[in-house]
Amino acid sequence: LEKTRTFVMVKPDGVQRGLVGDIVKRFEQRGFRLVEAKIMRVDRALAERHYSQHQGKPFFEELVDYITSDSVFAVILEGVNAVAIARSMIGATNPAAALSGTIRGDYATSVEYNIIHGSDSAESVEREIALFFGASDGV
Ligand code: DAT
Ligand code: MG
């Protein structure tokens, strides 16, 4: 079976709440391999590029403030059907709609603080891995 990559990022509240280990464990148990991972700070320039599709929306400034407020945990995952499976494990953008058993459904209550990001397409994976990990593509 063909393995592909996806990019996920535990947002500042997830790191602050000590959820990185639980979240990594979920992905590993599901069958993903960690290709690269790091704790890092996101500066405004990176945040605005990462979320460029949302520029101009009413929540954009708050979103950039939030994602730059403290460390995030950025991860490249590899597995079968990586984008779709990671997104289904993450759950709906608004935790009010996220099913229990999903990461947002188990750990988050507000759309502003929904604790994790996951790439939404193969194109987003390429773009986001380049933004967060540069040319490096792991081992
Ligand atoms: P996702 O993170 O599920 O891919 P998205 O790309 O539509 O969702 O939005 C990116 C982030 O922006 C999302 O995780 C939280 C924030 N956001 C989205 N819609 C919002 C809204 N209506 N109010 C406040 N924040 C919102
Ligand atoms: Mg998105």
Side-chain angles (χ1 to χ4, degrees):
L1 286 169
E2 188 199 351
K3 291 185 174 161
T4 53
R5 288 179 178 190
T6 192
F7 171 75
V8 303
M9 170 178 60
V10 181
K11 297 179 180 181
D13 58 321
V15 175
Q16 285 167 356
R17 290 168 58 198
L19 297 175
V20 165
D22 288 339
I23 289 169
V24 166
K25 187 180 177 76
R26 285 173 179 242
F27 287 116
E28 289 184 322
Q29 285 182 329
R30 188 68 187 262
F32 284 104
R33 181 175 78 85
L34 271 74
V35 177
E36 286 200 53
K38 62 182 174 186
I39 288 275
M40 61 182 281
R41 278 299 282 261
V42 175
D43 65 18
R44 289 198 81 79
L46 176 57
E48 288 176 2
R49 291 179 72 188
H50 174 64
Y51 282 126
S52 59
Q53 68 174 123
H54 299 300
Q55 223 141 25
K57 295 183 185 172
F59 58 84
F60 182 74
E61 288 305 322
E62 196 180 18
L63 178 62
V64 169
D65 285 347
Y66 163 47
I67 215 71
T68 58
S69 65
D70 203 350
S71 297
V72 301
F73 185 68
V75 188
I76 302 172
L77 295 173
E78 184 178 81
V80 174
N81 208 181
V83 170
I85 291 181
R87 289 280 292 189
S88 77
M89 291 174 68
I90 287 169
T93 302
N94 188 339
L99 299 177
S100 291
T102 66
I103 295 167
R104 287 169 174 162
D106 288 349
Y107 299 124
T109 54
S110 72
V111 66
E112 293 87 356
Y113 302 100
N114 63 12
I115 79 157
I116 185 167
H117 165 82
S119 301
D120 63 5
S121 66
E123 295 69 38
S124 298
V125 171
E126 290 305 311
R127 199 177 72 84
E128 291 168 7
I129 288 178
L131 282 175
F132 282 83
F133 288 93
S136 166
D137 62 359
V139 292

